[in-house]
Each structure stands twice: as C-alpha cells, then as structure tokens.
Coordinates of all heavy atoms in Angstrom, one line a residue:
M1 N -27.7 34.7 31.3 CA -28.3 35.8 30.4 C -29.8 35.7 30.4 O -30.4 34.6 30.3 CB -27.7 35.6 29.0 CG -28.3 36.6 28.0 SD -27.5 36.3 26.4 CE -28.6 37.1 25.5
A2 N -30.4 36.8 30.6 CA -31.9 36.9 30.6 C -32.4 36.8 29.1 O -31.9 37.4 28.3 CB -32.3 38.2 31.2
G3 N -33.4 36.0 29.0 CA -34.0 35.8 27.7 C -35.1 36.9 27.4 O -35.4 37.7 28.4
G4 N -35.5 37.1 26.2 CA -36.4 38.1 26.0 C -37.8 37.9 26.8 O -38.4 38.9 27.0
L5 N -38.1 36.7 27.1 CA -39.4 36.5 27.7 C -39.3 37.0 29.2 O -40.3 37.3 29.8 CB -39.7 35.0 27.8 CG -40.1 34.4 26.4 CD1 -40.3 32.9 26.6 CD2 -41.3 35.1 25.8
V6 N -38.1 37.2 29.7 CA -37.9 37.7 31.1 C -37.9 39.3 31.0 O -38.4 40.0 31.8 CB -36.6 37.1 31.7 CG1 -36.4 37.9 33.0 CG2 -36.8 35.7 31.9
V7 N -37.1 39.8 30.0 CA -36.8 41.2 29.9 C -38.2 41.9 29.5 O -38.5 42.9 30.1 CB -35.9 41.5 28.8 CG1 -35.8 43.0 28.5 CG2 -34.5 41.0 29.2
L8 N -39.0 41.4 28.6 CA -40.1 42.1 28.1 C -41.2 42.4 29.2 O -41.6 43.6 29.4 CB -40.7 41.4 26.9 CG -41.9 42.1 26.3 CD1 -41.6 43.5 25.8 CD2 -42.5 41.2 25.1
P9 N -41.7 41.4 29.9 CA -42.7 41.6 30.9 C -42.3 42.6 32.0 O -43.1 43.5 32.4 CB -43.2 40.4 31.4 CG -42.6 39.3 30.5 CD -41.5 40.0 29.8
T10 N -41.0 42.5 32.4 CA -40.5 43.4 33.4 C -40.5 44.8 32.9 O -40.8 45.8 33.6 CB -39.1 42.9 33.9 OG1 -39.2 41.6 34.3 CG2 -38.6 43.8 35.0
A11 N -40.0 45.0 31.7 CA -39.8 46.3 31.2 C -41.2 47.0 30.9 O -41.3 48.1 31.2 CB -39.0 46.3 29.9
L12 N -42.2 46.3 30.5 CA -43.4 46.8 30.1 C -44.1 47.4 31.4 O -44.9 48.3 31.3 CB -44.4 45.8 29.5 CG -43.9 45.4 28.1 CD1 -44.9 44.4 27.5 CD2 -43.9 46.6 27.1
Y13 N -43.8 46.9 32.6 CA -44.5 47.4 33.8 C -43.7 48.2 34.7 O -44.3 48.9 35.5 CB -45.1 46.3 34.5 CG -46.1 45.4 33.8 CD1 -45.8 44.3 33.2 CD2 -47.4 46.0 33.6 CE1 -46.7 43.5 32.5 CE2 -48.3 45.3 32.8 CZ -48.1 44.1 32.3 OH -49.0 43.4 31.6
Y14 N -42.4 48.2 34.6 CA -41.6 48.9 35.6 C -40.5 49.9 35.1 O -39.9 50.6 36.0 CB -40.8 47.9 36.4 CG -41.8 47.0 37.2 CD1 -41.9 45.6 36.7 CD2 -42.6 47.4 38.2 CE1 -42.8 44.9 37.4 CE2 -43.5 46.6 38.8 CZ -43.6 45.3 38.5 OH -44.5 44.4 39.1
V15 N -40.3 50.1 33.8 CA -39.3 51.0 33.4 C -39.7 51.9 32.3 O -40.6 51.6 31.6 CB -38.0 50.2 32.9 CG1 -37.5 49.3 34.0 CG2 -38.3 49.4 31.7
Y16 N -38.9 53.0 32.2 CA -39.2 54.0 31.1 C -38.1 53.9 30.0 O -38.3 54.5 28.9 CB -39.3 55.4 31.6 CG -40.4 55.5 32.6 CD1 -40.3 55.5 33.9 CD2 -41.8 55.7 32.2 CE1 -41.4 55.6 34.8 CE2 -42.8 55.8 32.9 CZ -42.7 55.8 34.3 OH -43.7 55.9 35.2
G17 N -37.0 53.4 30.3 CA -35.9 53.3 29.5 C -34.9 52.2 29.8 O -34.8 51.8 31.0
L18 N -34.1 51.6 28.9 CA -33.1 50.6 29.1 C -31.8 51.0 28.4 O -31.9 51.5 27.2 CB -33.6 49.3 28.5 CG -34.8 48.5 29.1 CD1 -35.2 47.4 28.2 CD2 -34.5 48.1 30.4
V19 N -30.7 50.8 29.1 CA -29.4 50.9 28.4 C -28.8 49.4 28.4 O -28.7 48.9 29.5 CB -28.5 51.9 29.0 CG1 -27.1 51.9 28.4 CG2 -29.1 53.3 28.9
V20 N -28.6 49.0 27.3 CA -28.1 47.6 27.1 C -26.6 47.6 26.8 O -26.2 48.2 25.9 CB -28.8 46.7 26.0 CG1 -28.2 45.4 25.9 CG2 -30.4 46.8 26.2
A21 N -25.8 47.0 27.7 CA -24.4 46.9 27.4 C -24.1 45.7 26.6 O -24.1 44.5 27.1 CB -23.7 46.8 28.8
G22 N -23.8 45.9 25.4 CA -23.5 44.7 24.5 C -22.0 44.4 24.6 O -21.3 44.9 25.4
S23 N -21.6 43.5 23.7 CA -20.2 43.1 23.8 C -19.3 44.2 23.1 O -19.9 45.3 22.9 CB -20.0 41.8 23.0 OG -20.4 41.9 21.7
G24 N -18.1 43.9 22.8 CA -17.2 44.9 22.3 C -17.7 45.8 21.1 O -17.5 47.0 21.1
A25 N -18.4 45.2 20.2 CA -18.9 45.9 19.1 C -20.5 46.3 19.3 O -21.2 46.5 18.4 CB -18.8 45.2 17.8
A26 N -20.8 46.3 20.6 CA -22.2 46.6 20.9 C -23.3 45.5 20.4 O -24.3 45.8 20.1 CB -22.7 48.0 20.6
T27 N -22.7 44.3 20.3 CA -23.6 43.2 19.8 C -24.4 42.7 21.0 O -24.0 42.6 22.1 CB -22.7 42.0 19.4 OG1 -21.8 42.5 18.3 CG2 -23.5 40.9 18.8
V28 N -25.7 42.6 20.6 CA -26.8 42.0 21.5 C -27.2 40.7 21.1 O -27.4 40.4 19.9 CB -28.0 43.0 21.6 CG1 -29.0 42.4 22.4 CG2 -27.6 44.4 22.0
H29 N -27.3 39.8 21.9 CA -27.7 38.4 21.6 C -29.0 38.5 20.9 O -30.0 39.2 21.2 CB -27.8 37.6 22.9 CG -27.9 36.1 22.6 ND1 -29.1 35.5 22.2 CD2 -27.0 35.1 22.5 CE1 -28.9 34.2 22.0 NE2 -27.6 33.9 22.1
A30 N -29.1 37.6 19.8 CA -30.3 37.6 18.9 C -31.6 37.3 19.7 O -32.6 37.8 19.3 CB -30.1 36.6 17.9
A31 N -31.5 36.6 20.8 CA -32.7 36.2 21.6 C -33.3 37.5 22.3 O -34.5 37.5 22.6 CB -32.4 35.2 22.7
L32 N -32.6 38.5 22.5 CA -33.0 39.8 23.1 C -33.6 40.8 22.2 O -34.4 41.7 22.6 CB -31.9 40.4 23.9 CG -31.5 39.7 25.2 CD1 -30.3 40.5 25.8 CD2 -32.6 39.7 26.2
I33 N -33.3 40.7 20.9 CA -33.7 41.7 20.0 C -35.2 41.9 19.8 O -35.7 42.9 19.8 CB -33.0 41.5 18.6 CG1 -31.5 41.9 18.8 CG2 -33.6 42.4 17.5 CD1 -30.6 41.6 17.6
P34 N -35.9 40.8 19.7 CA -37.4 40.9 19.5 C -38.1 41.6 20.8 O -38.9 42.5 20.6 CB -37.9 39.5 19.4 CG -36.8 38.7 18.8 CD -35.5 39.4 19.4
A35 N -37.5 41.3 22.0 CA -38.1 41.9 23.2 C -37.7 43.4 23.3 O -38.6 44.2 23.7 CB -37.5 41.1 24.4
L36 N -36.5 43.7 22.9 CA -36.1 45.1 22.9 C -36.8 45.9 21.9 O -37.3 47.0 22.1 CB -34.6 45.2 22.7 CG -33.7 44.6 23.9 CD1 -32.3 44.6 23.5 CD2 -34.0 45.3 25.2
R37 N -37.1 45.3 20.7 CA -37.9 46.0 19.7 C -39.3 46.2 20.2 O -39.9 47.3 20.0 CB -38.0 45.2 18.4 CG -36.8 45.3 17.5 CD -37.1 44.5 16.3 NE -36.0 44.6 15.3 CZ -35.9 43.8 14.3 NH1 -36.8 42.9 14.0 NH2 -34.9 44.1 13.4
R38 N -39.9 45.2 21.0 CA -41.2 45.4 21.5 C -41.2 46.5 22.5 O -42.2 47.3 22.6 CB -41.7 44.1 22.1 CG -43.0 44.1 22.8 CD -44.2 44.2 21.9 NE -45.4 44.5 22.6 CZ -46.0 43.7 23.4 NH1 -45.7 42.4 23.6 NH2 -47.2 44.0 24.0
C39 N -40.1 46.6 23.3 CA -40.0 47.7 24.3 C -40.1 49.0 23.5 O -40.8 50.0 23.9 CB -38.8 47.6 25.1 SG -38.7 46.3 26.3
L40 N -39.5 49.1 22.4 CA -39.4 50.4 21.6 C -40.9 50.7 21.2 O -41.3 51.9 21.2 CB -38.5 50.3 20.4 CG -37.0 50.4 20.7 CD1 -36.2 50.0 19.5 CD2 -36.7 51.9 21.2
E41 N -41.6 49.7 20.7 CA -42.9 49.8 20.2 C -43.8 50.3 21.3 O -44.8 51.1 21.0 CB -43.5 48.6 19.6 CG -42.7 48.2 18.3 CD -43.1 46.7 17.9 OE1 -44.0 46.0 18.6 OE2 -42.5 46.2 16.9
E42 N -43.6 49.8 22.6 CA -44.4 50.3 23.7 C -44.0 51.6 24.3 O -44.6 52.0 25.4 CB -44.3 49.2 24.8 CG -44.9 47.8 24.3 CD -46.4 47.9 24.1 OE1 -47.1 48.7 24.8 OE2 -46.9 47.1 23.2
G43 N -43.1 52.3 23.6 CA -42.7 53.6 24.1 C -41.6 53.6 25.1 O -41.2 54.7 25.8
I44 N -40.9 52.5 25.4 CA -39.8 52.4 26.3 C -38.5 52.7 25.6 O -38.1 52.1 24.5 CB -39.7 51.0 26.9 CG1 -40.9 50.7 27.7 CG2 -38.4 50.9 27.8 CD1 -41.1 49.3 28.2
A45 N -37.7 53.7 26.0 CA -36.5 54.1 25.3 C -35.5 53.1 25.5 O -35.3 52.5 26.6 CB -36.0 55.4 26.0
V46 N -34.7 52.7 24.4 CA -33.7 51.7 24.4 C -32.5 52.2 23.8 O -32.6 52.8 22.7 CB -34.2 50.4 23.6 CG1 -33.1 49.4 23.6 CG2 -35.4 49.8 24.4
R47 N -31.3 52.1 24.5 CA -30.0 52.4 23.9 C -29.2 51.2 24.0 O -29.1 50.6 25.0 CB -29.4 53.6 24.6 CG -30.3 54.8 24.7 CD -30.4 55.5 23.3 NE -31.2 56.7 23.4 CZ -32.5 56.8 23.4 NH1 -33.2 55.7 23.3 NH2 -33.1 58.0 23.4
V48 N -28.3 50.9 23.0 CA -27.4 49.8 23.0 C -25.9 50.4 22.9 O -25.8 51.3 22.1 CB -27.6 48.8 21.9 CG1 -26.5 47.7 22.0 CG2 -29.0 48.2 21.9
G49 N -25.1 50.0 23.8 CA -23.7 50.5 23.7 C -22.7 49.3 24.0 O -23.2 48.2 24.3
S50 N -21.5 49.6 23.9 CA -20.5 48.7 24.2 C -19.9 48.7 25.7 O -19.9 49.8 26.2 CB -19.2 49.0 23.2 OG -18.2 48.2 23.6
R51 N -19.5 47.6 26.1 CA -19.0 47.5 27.4 C -17.5 48.0 27.5 O -17.0 48.1 28.5 CB -19.0 46.1 28.0 CG -20.4 45.7 28.3 CD -20.4 44.3 28.8 NE -20.1 43.4 27.7 CZ -20.3 42.0 27.8 NH1 -20.6 41.5 28.9 NH2 -20.0 41.3 26.7
C52 N -16.9 48.2 26.2 CA -15.5 48.6 26.1 C -15.4 50.1 26.6 O -16.1 50.9 26.0 CB -15.0 48.5 24.8 SG -14.9 46.7 24.3
A53 N -14.4 50.3 27.4 CA -14.2 51.7 27.8 C -13.2 52.4 26.9 O -12.9 53.6 27.2 CB -13.8 51.8 29.3
G54 N -12.6 51.8 25.9 CA -11.6 52.3 25.1 C -12.0 53.2 24.1 O -11.1 53.5 23.2
G55 N -13.2 53.7 24.0 CA -13.5 54.7 23.0 C -14.5 54.1 22.0 O -15.2 53.1 22.2
P56 N -14.8 54.8 20.8 CA -15.7 54.4 19.9 C -15.6 53.0 19.3 O -14.5 52.5 19.3 CB -15.6 55.4 18.8 CG -14.8 56.6 19.4 CD -14.0 55.9 20.4
W57 N -16.6 52.5 18.9 CA -16.6 51.1 18.3 C -17.3 51.2 17.0 O -18.0 52.2 16.7 CB -17.3 50.2 19.2 CG -18.6 50.7 19.8 CD1 -18.6 51.4 21.0 CD2 -19.9 50.8 19.2 NE1 -19.9 51.9 21.3 CE2 -20.7 51.6 20.2 CE3 -20.4 50.5 18.1 CZ2 -22.0 51.9 20.0 CZ3 -21.8 50.8 17.8 CH2 -22.5 51.5 18.7
A58 N -17.2 50.2 16.2 CA -17.9 50.1 14.9 C -19.2 49.3 15.1 O -19.2 48.2 15.3 CB -17.0 49.4 13.9
P59 N -20.3 50.0 15.0 CA -21.6 49.4 15.3 C -21.9 48.3 14.2 O -21.5 48.4 13.0 CB -22.6 50.5 15.2 CG -22.0 51.5 14.5 CD -20.5 51.4 14.7
D60 N -22.6 47.3 14.6 CA -23.0 46.3 13.7 C -24.1 46.8 12.8 O -25.1 47.2 13.2 CB -23.6 45.0 14.6 CG -24.0 43.8 13.8 OD1 -24.1 44.0 12.5 OD2 -24.2 42.9 14.3
V61 N -23.8 46.7 11.5 CA -24.8 47.2 10.5 C -26.1 46.5 10.6 O -27.1 47.1 10.3 CB -24.2 47.1 9.0 CG1 -23.9 48.5 8.5 CG2 -23.2 46.2 8.9
D62 N -26.2 45.3 11.0 CA -27.4 44.6 11.2 C -28.2 44.9 12.5 O -29.2 44.4 12.7 CB -27.2 43.1 11.0 CG -26.7 42.8 9.6 OD1 -27.1 43.4 8.7 OD2 -26.0 41.8 9.5
Q63 N -27.6 45.7 13.3 CA -28.2 45.9 14.6 C -29.4 46.9 14.5 O -29.3 48.0 14.0 CB -27.2 46.7 15.5 CG -27.6 47.0 16.9 CD -27.8 45.8 17.7 OE1 -28.9 45.3 17.7 NE2 -26.8 45.4 18.5
P64 N -30.6 46.3 14.8 CA -31.8 47.1 14.6 C -32.2 48.0 15.7 O -33.4 48.4 15.7 CB -32.8 45.9 14.4 CG -32.3 44.9 15.3 CD -30.8 44.9 15.2
L65 N -31.3 48.3 16.6 CA -31.7 49.0 17.8 C -30.9 50.4 17.9 O -29.8 50.5 17.3 CB -31.4 48.2 19.1 CG -32.2 46.8 19.1 CD1 -31.5 46.0 20.1 CD2 -33.6 47.1 19.3
P66 N -31.5 51.3 18.5 CA -30.8 52.6 18.7 C -29.5 52.5 19.4 O -29.3 51.9 20.5 CB -31.7 53.5 19.5 CG -33.0 52.8 19.4 CD -32.8 51.4 19.2
M67 N -28.4 53.1 18.9 CA -27.1 52.9 19.4 C -26.7 54.2 20.2 O -27.0 55.2 19.9 CB -26.1 52.7 18.2 CG -26.3 51.6 17.4 SD -26.3 50.1 18.4 CE -25.3 49.0 17.4
A68 N -25.9 53.9 21.3 CA -25.3 55.0 22.0 C -23.9 55.2 21.5 O -23.0 54.8 22.2 CB -25.4 54.6 23.5
A69 N -23.8 55.8 20.4 CA -22.5 55.8 19.7 C -21.6 56.8 20.4 O -21.9 57.8 20.9 CB -22.7 56.3 18.2
E70 N -20.3 56.5 20.5 CA -19.2 57.2 21.0 C -19.3 57.7 22.4 O -18.7 58.7 22.8 CB -18.9 58.4 20.0 CG -18.5 58.0 18.6 CD -18.1 59.1 17.8 OE1 -17.8 60.2 18.2 OE2 -18.1 58.9 16.5
V71 N -20.1 57.0 23.2 CA -20.1 57.2 24.6 C -20.2 55.9 25.3 O -20.4 54.8 24.7 CB -21.4 58.0 25.0 CG1 -21.4 59.4 24.5 CG2 -22.7 57.3 24.7
T72 N -19.7 55.8 26.6 CA -19.7 54.6 27.3 C -21.2 54.3 27.8 O -22.1 55.2 27.6 CB -18.9 54.6 28.6 OG1 -19.5 55.5 29.5 CG2 -17.5 55.1 28.2
V73 N -21.5 53.1 28.2 CA -22.8 52.8 28.6 C -23.2 53.5 29.8 O -24.4 53.9 30.0 CB -23.1 51.3 28.7 CG1 -23.1 50.5 27.4 CG2 -22.1 50.6 29.7
V74 N -22.2 53.9 30.7 CA -22.5 54.7 31.8 C -23.0 56.1 31.4 O -24.0 56.7 31.9 CB -21.3 54.8 32.7 CG1 -21.5 55.8 33.9 CG2 -21.0 53.5 33.2
Q75 N -22.3 56.7 30.4 CA -22.6 58.0 29.9 C -24.0 57.9 29.1 O -24.8 58.8 29.3 CB -21.6 58.5 28.9 CG -20.3 58.8 29.5 CD -19.2 59.0 28.5 OE1 -19.1 58.4 27.5 NE2 -18.2 60.0 28.9
A76 N -24.2 56.8 28.5 CA -25.6 56.6 27.8 C -26.7 56.6 28.8 O -27.8 57.0 28.7 CB -25.5 55.4 27.0
R77 N -26.4 56.0 30.0 CA -27.4 55.9 31.1 C -27.7 57.3 31.6 O -28.9 57.6 31.8 CB -26.8 55.0 32.2 CG -27.9 54.2 32.9 CD -27.3 53.1 33.7 NE -27.0 53.7 35.0 CZ -26.2 53.1 35.9 NH1 -25.8 51.9 35.7 NH2 -25.8 53.6 37.0
V78 N -26.8 58.1 31.9 CA -27.0 59.4 32.3 C -27.7 60.3 31.3 O -28.7 61.0 31.6 CB -25.6 60.1 32.7 CG1 -25.8 61.6 33.1 CG2 -24.9 59.4 33.9
S79 N -27.2 60.1 30.1 CA -28.0 60.8 29.0 C -29.5 60.5 28.9 O -30.3 61.3 28.7 CB -27.3 60.5 27.7 OG -27.9 61.1 26.6
L80 N -29.8 59.1 29.0 CA -31.1 58.7 29.0 C -31.9 59.2 30.2 O -33.0 59.6 30.1 CB -31.1 57.2 28.9 CG -32.5 56.4 28.8 CD1 -33.2 57.1 27.5 CD2 -32.4 55.0 28.7
W81 N -31.3 59.3 31.4 CA -32.0 59.8 32.5 C -32.4 61.2 32.3 O -33.5 61.6 32.6 CB -31.1 59.8 33.8 CG -30.8 58.5 34.5 CD1 -31.6 57.4 34.5 CD2 -29.7 58.1 35.3 NE1 -31.1 56.4 35.2 CE2 -29.9 56.8 35.7 CE3 -28.6 58.9 35.7 CZ2 -29.0 56.2 36.6 CZ3 -27.7 58.2 36.5 CH2 -27.9 56.9 37.0
L82 N -31.5 62.0 31.7 CA -31.8 63.3 31.4 C -32.9 63.5 30.4 O -33.8 64.3 30.5 CB -30.5 64.1 31.0 CG -29.5 64.3 32.2 CD1 -28.2 64.9 31.5 CD2 -30.0 65.2 33.3
E83 N -32.8 62.6 29.3 CA -33.8 62.7 28.3 C -35.2 62.4 28.9 O -36.1 63.1 28.6 CB -33.5 61.6 27.3 CG -34.3 61.6 26.1 CD -33.9 60.5 25.1 OE1 -32.6 60.4 24.8 OE2 -34.8 59.8 24.6
L84 N -35.2 61.4 29.7 CA -36.6 61.0 30.4 C -37.0 62.0 31.3 O -38.3 62.3 31.4 CB -36.4 59.6 31.0 CG -36.1 58.4 30.1 CD1 -35.8 57.2 30.9 CD2 -37.4 58.2 29.2
L85 N -36.1 62.6 32.1 CA -36.5 63.7 32.9 C -37.1 64.9 32.2 O -38.2 65.4 32.6 CB -35.4 64.2 33.7 CG -35.6 65.3 34.7 CD1 -36.6 64.9 35.8 CD2 -34.3 65.8 35.4
I86 N -36.5 65.3 31.2 CA -37.0 66.4 30.2 C -38.4 66.0 29.8 O -39.3 66.9 29.7 CB -36.0 66.7 29.1 CG1 -34.8 67.4 29.7 CG2 -36.7 67.6 28.1 CD1 -33.6 67.5 28.8
K87 N -38.5 64.8 29.2 CA -39.8 64.3 28.8 C -40.8 64.3 29.8 O -42.0 64.8 29.5 CB -39.6 63.0 28.1 CG -40.9 62.3 27.4 CD -40.5 61.0 26.9 CE -41.8 60.4 26.3 NZ -41.5 59.0 25.8
A88 N -40.5 63.9 31.0 CA -41.5 63.8 32.1 C -42.0 65.2 32.6 O -43.1 65.4 32.9 CB -41.0 63.1 33.3
R89 N -41.1 66.2 32.4 CA -41.4 67.5 32.8 C -42.0 68.3 31.8 O -42.4 69.5 32.0 CB -40.1 68.3 33.4 CG -39.5 67.5 34.6 CD -38.5 68.3 35.2 NE -39.1 69.5 35.9 CZ -38.4 70.3 36.6 NH1 -37.3 70.2 36.8 NH2 -39.1 71.4 37.2
G90 N -42.1 67.8 30.6 CA -42.7 68.4 29.5 C -41.9 69.7 28.9 O -42.5 70.6 28.4
C91 N -40.7 69.6 29.1 CA -39.7 70.7 28.6 C -39.5 70.6 27.1 O -39.5 69.6 26.6 CB -38.4 70.6 29.4 SG -38.6 70.9 31.2

C-alpha cells in the first residue's frame, strides 16, 4: 500500500484528479487521508468509491473525502475524466 508521502508528491506534479478504490464501504486507510486532503487543497479532484461491483454501499460517516456514491469506481473514473475535460475546455 502506498503511504501518503508517496501519493502526495506524485499527485501534486502529475495528475489533475484521483479516483481511490476503497474497501467494501469505501474505507480509505487513515494514512492516506491527510495526503488526499492536501490534494484537494491543491486543486486536484479526488473521488472515493468502493471496489464492490454489487451496487451502492453505506459510506463511512467519518470519511472526510468526496464520495463517488452509487457508481462503481470505473464509472467514477469516466465521470471524473469528463468533468476534467469540461473544466479544461472552459465549458
């Protein structure tokens, strides 16, 4: 598992958005949360979803990150691509 110290520097220089596949309830390891919050502060879009393909999940109430509710992480990735494309084109 990549720690926040690995994720953060990479994200700050090379990406515009991240989709994080959490566990069944979209749980993200506590070590990653500060780095993902920093990505949000730096303007990098972050979405957290579940790896379960069986449908909606109950999000963790303590989860401090934007959730990709009721879609798979693959669908969240496509949605984020489109969102970033629209933003880049100024639409």
Side-chain angles (χ1 to χ4, degrees):
M1 176 173 164
L5 295 177
V6 172
V7 171
L8 182 60
T10 303
L12 289 178
Y13 295 106
Y14 299 109
V15 300
Y16 298 99
L18 296 169
V19 174
V20 180
S23 62
T27 304
V28 176
H29 193 279
L32 287 175
I33 291 176
L36 294 172
R37 279 185 177 168
R38 174 77 191 282
C39 288
L40 285 168
E41 291 170 5
E42 296 292 332
I44 297 169
V46 175
R47 303 291 182 276
V48 178
S50 172
R51 290 180 287 192
C52 294
W57 40 266
D60 184 348
V61 249
D62 295 331
Q63 181 67 273
L65 301 166
M67 301 303 227
E70 298 187 18
V71 296
T72 67
V73 289
V74 174
Q75 291 167 326
R77 212 167 84 190
V78 172
S79 175
L80 184 57
W81 284 337
L82 294 172
E83 183 181 319
L84 293 171
L85 178 62
I86 289 168
K87 184 178 176 182
R89 297 191 71 176
C91 297

